[in-house]
Amino acid sequence: MDERKRKQTYSISDLAREFDVTTRTIRFYEEGGLLQPLRDGQTRIYTDEDRVKLKLILRGKRLGFSLAESRELIEMYDPSEGNIKQLNALLNKIHQRRDVLMQQLADIEVMRHELDEAEERCRQAMQECLSVN
Amino acid sequence: MDERKRKQTYSISDLAREFDVTTRTIRFYEEGGLLQPLRDGQTRIYTDEDRVKLKLILRGKRLGFSLAESRELIEMYDPSEGNIKQLNALLNKIHQRRDVLMQQLADIEVMRHELDEAEERCRQAMQECLSVN
DNA sequence: CTATACGTTTACGTTAACGTAAAGATATCG
DNA sequence: CGATATCTTTACGTTAACGTAAACGTATAG
């Protein structure tokens, strides 16, 4: 096994700075069971794995997922201890998720097109406005 | 002018049914100034224009926009009474919005890829599970 | 006539996702 | 030693986006 994997760790404010969230937010995610950092006495110690999880949570957030949903997403990445029923449930969730994503893609395409049109109307209105004066 | 444009109208529950929201939701949007239906006595009457606006609001919602943001989007579609400064502000908002959309597109692409991988891992885990029994 | 369906206003309740403040431990710098 | 920075827990506050319930008109079908 390649032991050059740097076992880097982070403080709570390291992560807060990197991802531009407050420490309160990170602790809140821990309350919800989304993160389980190590401890050095009282102080929280975050591993690279925790960092990845936080990244996942924030990406989910940008896509409009709730924390509960993000937790599900995170759990998808480690289906090691599951029985077949749980795995089937997971597959269903994955498919549902994909449907939502496809809907969002379609929405975004439509909206982008309409934003282009809105911009064009804006420009034209400005032209008219200028040529009047 | 072509007068075959049907001036169709809708009741509040017509729209509620069509878009699968409650009437409370539609009235709430009106409270926020997002819709301004006509009235027949007490009863609200919705035009095709109102219907389009509602559609915009709900699409915005699917994309994670707040109602305040959706209101801005709606206002983009009628920049008739604006002066040049307002139009410039509008253009800026449009560009901001587009940036967010591009970020969402990138997020979705990444996530779709990861969902594919998660599904694959799921399937393999199920295979192993089955071949053991 | 009355029951049923649909509309209205008013108003308090709820949930998620944090914000904010208080009060204290620990460590390091000068 | 005191100031400053960074961490902690505890706990109440806040905002958005509705839900839910009460109490009341209106009209139409049986």
Side-chain angles (χ1 to χ4, degrees):
Chain A
M1 317 248 177
D2 190 350
E3 278 302 340
R4 276 173 305 181
K5 280 181 182 174
R6 342 170 187 122
K7 285 279 180 186
Q8 196 177 347
T9 62
Y10 310 86
S11 77
I12 193 168
S13 44
D14 285 343
L15 293 184
R17 234 164 309 161
E18 176 173 359
F19 294 108
D20 196 33
V21 296
T22 67
T23 59
R24 174 71 178 91
T25 297
I26 296 178
R27 292 197 194 93
F28 179 73
Y29 293 159
E30 184 179 345
E31 278 183 49
L34 288 151
L35 298 172
Q36 295 119 30
L38 305 173
R39 294 277 177 149
D40 173 21
Q42 284 235 102
T43 305
R44 275 163 256 248
I45 308 273
Y46 295 88
T47 66
D48 278 308
E49 195 180 347
D50 294 320
R51 189 172 157 280
V52 168
K53 284 185 182 177
L54 181 53
K55 198 184 263 183
L56 286 175
I57 297 168
L58 296 176
R59 190 170 63 214
K61 194 183 167 189
R62 286 199 300 270
L63 290 172
F65 295 131
S66 72
L67 290 191
E69 289 172 318
S70 283
R71 188 148 46 92
E72 290 181 4
L73 284 175
I74 287 178
E75 285 165 0
M76 286 182 191
Y77 289 87
D78 178 32
S80 49
E81 322 162 6
N83 60 29
I84 288 202
K85 266 195 177 169
Q86 285 171 342
L87 287 175
N88 266 320
L90 261 178
L91 277 180
N92 285 334
K93 283 179 187 173
I94 289 176
H95 287 140
Q96 284 177 31
R97 200 61 72 200
R98 202 192 313 267
D99 288 347
V100 173
L101 292 186
M102 298 308 279
Q103 173 66 49
Q104 286 188 313
L105 274 175
D107 283 339
I108 286 179
E109 278 311 311
V110 172
M111 185 166 290
R112 184 158 60 172
H113 185 237
E114 288 173 355
L115 284 180
D116 285 339
E117 290 180 351
E119 178 167 359
E120 196 43 41
R121 283 198 300 276
C122 256
R123 292 201 185 287
Q124 291 191 359
M126 287 181 68
Q127 283 298 329
E128 290 176 26
C129 201
L130 286 171
S131 62
V132 165
N133 297 342
Chain B
M1 320 247 176
D2 190 350
E3 279 302 340
R4 275 174 304 181
K5 281 180 183 173
R6 341 170 187 122
K7 286 278 181 186
Q8 196 177 348
T9 62
Y10 309 87
S11 77
I12 193 167
S13 45
D14 285 342
L15 293 184
R17 234 164 308 160
E18 177 173 359
F19 294 106
D20 196 31
V21 296
T22 66
T23 59
R24 173 70 179 95
T25 297
I26 296 179
R27 291 195 194 98
F28 179 73
Y29 294 159
E30 183 179 347
E31 278 182 48
L34 289 151
L35 298 173
Q36 295 116 33
L38 305 172
R39 294 275 178 150
D40 174 20
Q42 285 235 99
T43 306
R44 277 164 254 249
I45 307 274
Y46 296 87
T47 67
D48 278 308
E49 197 179 346
D50 294 320
R51 188 173 158 280
V52 169
K53 285 184 182 177
L54 182 53
K55 199 184 264 183
L56 285 175
I57 298 167
L58 295 176
R59 190 170 63 213
K61 194 182 167 192
R62 286 197 301 269
L63 289 172
F65 295 131
S66 71
L67 290 192
E69 289 172 318
S70 283
R71 187 147 46 92
E72 289 180 6
L73 285 176
I74 286 178
E75 286 164 2
M76 286 181 192
Y77 289 88
D78 179 32
S80 49
E81 321 160 7
N83 60 28
I84 287 200
K85 268 195 176 168
Q86 286 171 343
L87 287 175
N88 265 320
L90 258 178
L91 276 179
N92 285 334
K93 282 179 187 174
I94 288 175
H95 287 139
Q96 285 178 31
R97 199 63 71 198
R98 202 192 316 266
D99 288 347
V100 173
L101 292 186
M102 296 310 279
Q103 173 65 49
Q104 285 190 313
L105 273 175
D107 283 339
I108 286 178
E109 278 311 311
V110 172
M111 184 165 291
R112 184 159 60 173
H113 185 237
E114 289 173 355
L115 283 180
D116 285 339
E117 290 180 351
E119 177 166 359
E120 197 43 41
R121 284 198 300 277
C122 255
R123 291 200 186 287
Q124 290 191 1
M126 287 181 67
Q127 283 297 331
E128 290 176 25
C129 200
L130 285 172
S131 62
V132 165
N133 297 344

